[in-house]
Amino acid sequence: MEFPNLGVRCSVEDCKQLTFVPFPCKHCSTLFCIKHFDVDSHNCKNFHTHVVHNKTKLSSYLCSDESCKQTSVIEMLCIKCKKHFCLQHRYHGCLEYTNEERTRKLKKWQIPKEQFAEAKAVVDQEISNNLKKSKNTAMANKVRLMRIKGSAVGPKNVPMNERCYFHVYVSVKACNKNVGPSKGIYVNMNWTVGKAIDSMAEILKISNNNNIENAAKLHLFHHSTGTLISNAMDIPLTKLFENSELVDGQSVILEYSNDTSVDTTLYK
């Protein structure tokens, strides 16, 4: 039994096949069978017109730079001025900071840095105070030595197993203003006191006139008491360690003085 009113016939003249599931062409909207719905099968006249139109539409984004005529199929908007720019002109100065904005941002970034430095200074001072008050001298010396090792500098040719560390407070008469009030330094424990002083002065970039007669000499003093460590420049550091006159990691003062002691309140 046939149903002549059901289905649609293919629009191709040579076909006219009856189909219950017609396929519309998306370009000309005409109905076709499964064999002829493709644009090439029915020689669609609207296909080329649609393609040209779509290409023109996609290529309509013109660069906003006045000297540029380049178009793009993709719109690239500046996040600040909301204008489209090509890849060549995407850095068009819109996002650059003014001197005033740059100064304001630098000040803003400096705040946490300064806060961290202040907090670290407070913590370091508390640790130093606790170490001074500590009844366990051996433990206090170990903690102090570990702190110095983390940032100490010295000659790279000194073997690790021959290094001894000092927290050196710089002379108040030092000419080098770039040097801070103190610095962690390591030297060779087999050196003499004189050679250790020479190395410290070189690292701290301060004047050293120990080989000049009648000139102010650099000496090492105990930071805790201000007393002279040794007046003899040729005595080995190992001997001072053996006699407990020096402790690895202790704080010392490097000062121009021919006296037997210095005022420790000047070195903080």
Side-chain angles (χ1 to χ4, degrees), residues 213-233:
E213 190 177 357
N214 299 326
K217 302 294 192 296
L218 278 171
H219 287 282
L220 286 176
F221 298 85
H222 292 283
H223 183 260
S224 57
T225 62
T227 57
L228 181 67
I229 292 177
S230 176
N231 193 38
M233 294 291 184

Side-chain angles (χ1 to χ4, degrees), residues 58-106:
L58 290 174
S59 303
S60 61
Y61 299 112
L62 178 66
C63 179
S64 297
D65 189 283
E66 294 181 357
S67 63
C68 182
K69 302 300 180 183
Q70 185 173 345
T71 59
S72 174
V73 296
I74 300 175
E75 188 177 23
M76 295 178 288
L77 298 178
C78 172
I79 60 175
K80 187 173 183 179
C81 66
K82 305 302 180 183
K83 294 181 180 180
H84 167 78
F85 290 90
C86 66
L87 292 176
Q88 184 179 354
H89 296 108
R90 64 189 182 278
Y91 301 115
H92 53 282
C94 188
L95 297 176
E96 292 183 2
Y97 295 126
T98 63
N99 291 335
E100 183 179 349
E101 290 175 330
R102 190 178 292 107
T103 302
R104 186 167 61 252
K105 286 185 177 294
L106 285 175

Side-chain angles (χ1 to χ4, degrees), residues 170-180 201 204-209 218 254-256:
V170 186
S171 168
V172 293
K173 305 172 186 176
C175 297
N176 188 357
K177 296 182 180 180
N178 295 324
V179 177
L204 296 171
K205 294 180 173 56
I206 61 175
S207 176
N208 180 12
N209 299 320
L218 278 171
L254 184 63
E255 184 56 270
Y256 300 97

